[in-house]
Amino acid sequence: MEKTLQELATLVGGRVVGDGSIVITETRSFEQAVKQSITFAVGEYVEHIALCQAGAVIVESEVKDAPMAQIVVDNAKAAFAQVLELFHPPVVVPREVHSTAIIGNNVTIGKNVAIGAYCVINDNAVIGDDVTIRPYVYIGHNVRIGEGSDIYAGAIVHENCILGKRVVLRAKAVIGGEGFGFATENGVHTHIPQVGNVILEDDVEVGSCTTIDNATMGSTLVRRGTKIDNLVHLGHNVEIGEDCFLIAQVGIAGSTKCGNHVIFAGQTGCTGHITIGDNVQFAGKTGITGNVPSNSIMAGYPMRPHKEWLKLAAYENRLPDMVKTVKQLQKEIDALKAQLKES
């Protein structure tokens, strides 16, 4: 594919700085860019733009003395995503039910649906219009999948779960697996039936090998627009608010309630039966041990306000010197005590 810079600027609603007639043939990262490619620069990358070899760069404000042409937009990352979609269009999936798919009784399939090879769709499932179900997917009894959703290979949606519109499940995601509930008596663990389901609202995305357990009763709930990375686990009866980010290897224990616009950075772990407010941010590896008020920024294990954690981290780096100082002071104190006794 070949596009002039001006054509790309028109696509993303941007303004060209420099030669709009140059031809772009590919997209590349900032570090790997070459003369015929376009990339984007935000944050600290703008400071190093002179080192970039791209023929053009998408930025959010004009960079003086940049060695390449620029497209200036309000959101460089979003604009670059549009360019990526242009140069790398998605694979077209045939809109058909593959002959090897197994379809149960009383299944409702909407218009323009794709069901790939070796899929299993169980009784009473409802598949909305424009849904894509890729090979080896399992859809349980009574599942509802909203229009425009995309289920990648090997994903599993257990019985009674509900997926809204435009939900994306990446490969091997498991929705509605048995919640982890046991009663222990005299050291013996007895399974408690988990009879609830999982509800994913519109525009939720779930990463590869992420597992969201069904509720003991009621629903485990992920609200509209939340994006979940790979290898995340949500326990039974967890509720996640709208437009949250859950990054890789996050684990949230059962019955925790989370507000809107919350960010869980990678490997954050959360205890169960707590409440987290809106607009909270957790740094990577945070250990969440109790309720968190809205608009907090937390870090560390156990969690504490981020600024406090930064101070403690700085003190930790100075501990060896502080230990030497304490030992020296102790020697001086002992010497003074000895002098006092002698006098």
Side-chain angles (χ1 to χ4, degrees), residues 129-342:
D129 296 343
D130 302 308
V131 168
T132 302
I133 300 177
R134 298 167 192 265
Y136 297 100
V137 168
Y138 175 90
I139 305 296
H141 294 76
N142 310 313
V143 165
R144 304 289 186 269
I145 300 178
E147 64 185 56
S149 293
D150 195 350
I151 316 299
Y152 279 73
I156 295 173
V157 184
H158 285 280
E159 60 272 6
N160 304 315
C161 291
I162 300 172
L163 278 57
K165 299 176 182 178
R166 299 173 300 278
V167 169
V168 177
L169 303 183
R170 303 292 177 186
K172 305 292 185 179
V174 179
I175 307 302
E178 188 81 358
F180 193 73
F182 295 86
T184 302
E185 185 174 359
N186 298 322
V188 177
H189 309 303
T190 302
H191 179 256
I192 299 172
Q194 309 288 293
V195 297
N197 70 345
V198 172
I199 299 175
L200 307 181
E201 293 187 348
D202 297 349
D203 300 303
V204 167
E205 298 192 19
V206 178
S208 297
C209 298
T210 283
T211 59
I212 303 178
D213 290 350
N214 71 343
T216 304
M217 293 180 287
S219 299
T220 301
L221 176 61
V222 180
R223 295 196 182 277
R224 182 203 58 77
T226 284
K227 312 301 182 185
I228 302 176
D229 198 1
N230 304 331
L231 298 169
V232 171
H233 177 217
L234 304 185
H236 59 78
N237 294 95
V238 165
E239 294 184 13
I240 303 295
E242 297 182 354
D243 296 308
C244 295
F245 270 133
L246 284 73
I247 315 304
Q249 299 181 15
V250 164
I252 300 181
S255 299
T256 286
K257 306 294 186 283
C258 171
N260 302 325
H261 306 285
V262 176
I263 298 174
F264 296 84
Q267 296 188 332
T268 293
C270 181
T271 190
H273 300 273
I274 64 168
T275 300
I276 298 168
D278 297 335
N279 306 308
V280 176
Q281 298 179 41
F282 296 105
K285 295 181 180 291
T286 298
I288 306 170
T289 53
N291 296 334
V292 183
S294 295
N295 304 307
S296 301
I297 302 177
M298 310 298 283
Y301 181 83
M303 68 174 183
R304 50 179 53 88
H306 187 252
K307 290 183 179 179
E308 181 182 327
W309 175 81
L310 287 174
K311 289 180 181 179
L312 290 173
Y315 290 145
E316 286 179 0
N317 292 331
R318 294 166 54 191
L319 280 176
D321 291 335
M322 293 170 69
V323 169
K324 290 179 181 178
T325 300
V326 170
K327 287 181 177 180
Q328 181 60 38
L329 288 172
Q330 186 63 54
K331 288 180 180 179
E332 294 177 7
I333 290 170
D334 292 342
L336 287 171
K337 285 181 177 179
Q339 291 177 12
L340 288 171
K341 285 181 178 180
E342 291 175 359

Side-chain angles (χ1 to χ4, degrees), residues 9-10 15 19 21 37 40 56 61 64-65 82 84 104 121 196 201 210 218 227 230 235 262 265 311 332 343:
T10 300
R15 172 175 61 89
D19 184 2
S21 66
S37 69
F40 76 102
S61 58
K64 300 297 184 183
D65 301 322
Q82 289 181 267
L84 285 173
I121 314 292
E201 293 187 348
T210 283
K227 312 301 182 185
N230 304 331
V262 176
K311 289 180 181 179
E332 294 177 7
S343 62

Side-chain angles (χ1 to χ4, degrees), residues 40-48 60:
F40 76 102
V42 294
E44 62 184 22
Y45 284 92
V46 175
E47 301 173 14
H48 304 288
E60 294 175 355

